[in-house]
Amino acid sequence: MDIEQKQEELIQHFVNQASNLNNGSSLAHVITDATSHPSLFAFSEILSLPNVIQLQGTEHSIYIELLRLFAHGTWSEYKRNAGSLPSLVPDQVRKLKQLTVLTLAEANKVLPYDVLMQELDVLNVRELEDFLINECMYVGIVRGKLDQLRRCFQVQFAAGRDLRPGQLGSMIHTLSNWLNTSDNLLITIQEKIKWADTMSELDKKHKKEADERMEEVKKTLSLKEDIDFRGHEEMFAEPGGVMDYDEDRSRPKRRRHPLG
């Protein structure tokens, strides 16, 4: 089962659980279970449930804040606001650090080790690489290359997180701009193809004309050679046209008579 399908099943499981509860304590328990589950990384569907929203302003409101943190926040944000949030169990700590890696990967495809160690509260490179390999890559939420020489993690793939409030409009705007750019690029490519086709046809036409002129020149030269050859044949074949040298010597010489 791929990670996307597993996510959908887990989301539906916790949504069904939470939808049937109206008691704050029971909802807090479901939220704790959801944020602790090792294979769940999306929380917006649970966060949007009416009975979960109703926790706001109650004694259990810290759990809806905790759910928002897991939907959009990072480990550093939790540390800054730990006094107003429930304490985390180890599974939640690991999950929030995994989500932190996804957030960092959204903005940059090359993550320096120093930044990762600071954001994840990791003490050394060995511990960081073990976390990236065992808790991120093996889980399937990221793919990439550990570059020990450059001390960075090169991200090739990262699963997406829940959209933050207002982020959808920004994404739509970005996609619209991309679509317009793609349309303009497509028009440019089509014009280039049309120009190339036109030039190809002109080249073919010019080549055909050149070949035809070459054939005409060949025919003209061939005809001229034939005429010249026939002219020489006629000259040598004409009777009396050429006198044999021996015949000329055998003829008697005419005696010249003096005048007067």
Side-chain angles (χ1 to χ4, degrees), residues 111-142:
L111 304 178
Y113 278 1
D114 291 338
V115 172
L116 287 167
M117 286 191 289
Q118 180 180 352
E119 290 294 325
L120 301 177
D121 267 348
V122 174
L123 299 178
N124 54 62
V125 171
R126 176 63 181 274
E127 185 181 352
L128 172 64
E129 291 184 337
D130 286 347
F131 179 81
L132 291 173
I133 293 171
N134 299 322
E135 307 299 345
C136 296
M137 287 193 278
Y138 282 174
V139 173
I141 59 174
V142 296

Side-chain angles (χ1 to χ4, degrees), residues 7-145:
Q7 285 291 292
E8 292 177 6
E9 293 182 0
L10 288 171
I11 290 168
Q12 194 57 51
H13 168 74
F14 284 108
V15 165
N16 291 339
Q17 268 195 320
S19 297
N20 297 321
L21 300 174
N22 291 313
N23 180 276
S25 296
S26 299
L27 284 170
H29 182 72
V30 171
I31 290 171
T32 300
D33 286 346
T35 53
S36 302
H37 196 286
S39 300
L40 182 64
F41 297 93
F43 307 94
S44 59
E45 287 86 349
I46 305 171
L47 190 58
S48 64
L49 293 173
N51 53 339
V52 173
I53 294 173
Q54 288 174 3
L55 292 177
Q56 193 71 47
T58 70
E59 59 180 314
H60 300 288
S61 62
I62 57 173
Y63 286 94
I64 192 172
E65 295 302 328
L66 179 68
L67 195 57
R68 288 192 180 110
L69 179 70
F70 273 77
H72 311 124
T74 64
W75 172 245
S76 294
E77 290 176 41
Y78 173 78
K79 290 191 299 178
R80 289 196 298 268
N81 299 282
S84 58
L85 292 168
S87 298
L88 301 183
V89 299
D91 287 343
Q92 288 174 310
V93 173
R94 181 178 62 252
K95 171 66 63 62
L96 195 51
K97 288 185 177 183
Q98 290 171 317
L99 293 168
T100 298
V101 173
L102 296 183
T103 294
L104 294 173
E106 286 179 358
N108 298 287
K109 297 307 177 186
V110 177
L111 304 178
Y113 278 1
D114 291 338
V115 172
L116 287 167
M117 286 191 289
Q118 180 180 352
E119 290 294 325
L120 301 177
D121 267 348
V122 174
L123 299 178
N124 54 62
V125 171
R126 176 63 181 274
E127 185 181 352
L128 172 64
E129 291 184 337
D130 286 347
F131 179 81
L132 291 173
I133 293 171
N134 299 322
E135 307 299 345
C136 296
M137 287 193 278
Y138 282 174
V139 173
I141 59 174
V142 296
R143 290 195 299 270
K145 177 183 177 182

Side-chain angles (χ1 to χ4, degrees), residues 169-255:
S170 176
M171 288 184 66
I172 292 174
H173 178 70
T174 300
L175 289 172
S176 296
N177 289 338
W178 175 82
L179 183 60
N180 291 333
T181 301
S182 299
D183 288 341
N184 292 334
L185 180 60
L186 180 60
I187 291 172
T188 301
I189 292 173
Q190 289 173 337
E191 290 176 348
K192 293 291 186 182
I193 292 173
K194 184 177 180 181
W195 175 83
D197 289 342
T198 301
M199 295 304 296
S200 177
E201 290 300 319
L202 288 174
D203 286 343
K204 289 178 181 178
K205 182 180 179 182
H206 291 160
K207 184 178 183 304
K208 182 180 178 181
E209 292 174 351
D211 290 343
E212 289 174 350
R213 287 196 296 269
M214 182 63 70
E215 287 299 321
E216 291 176 0
V217 170
K218 287 180 179 179
K219 289 179 181 179
T220 300
L221 291 176
S222 177
L223 181 60
K224 184 176 184 302
E225 289 176 356
D226 186 59
I227 292 173
D228 290 345
F229 179 75
R230 288 180 179 276
H232 281 85
E233 278 188 334
E234 291 173 358
M235 182 180 69
F236 283 106
E238 183 179 347
V242 177
M243 181 179 290
D244 185 74
Y245 177 73
D246 291 334
E247 179 185 354
D248 181 66
R249 285 195 306 170
S250 65
R251 289 184 179 182
K253 303 282 185 181
R254 289 184 180 183
R255 183 176 297 177

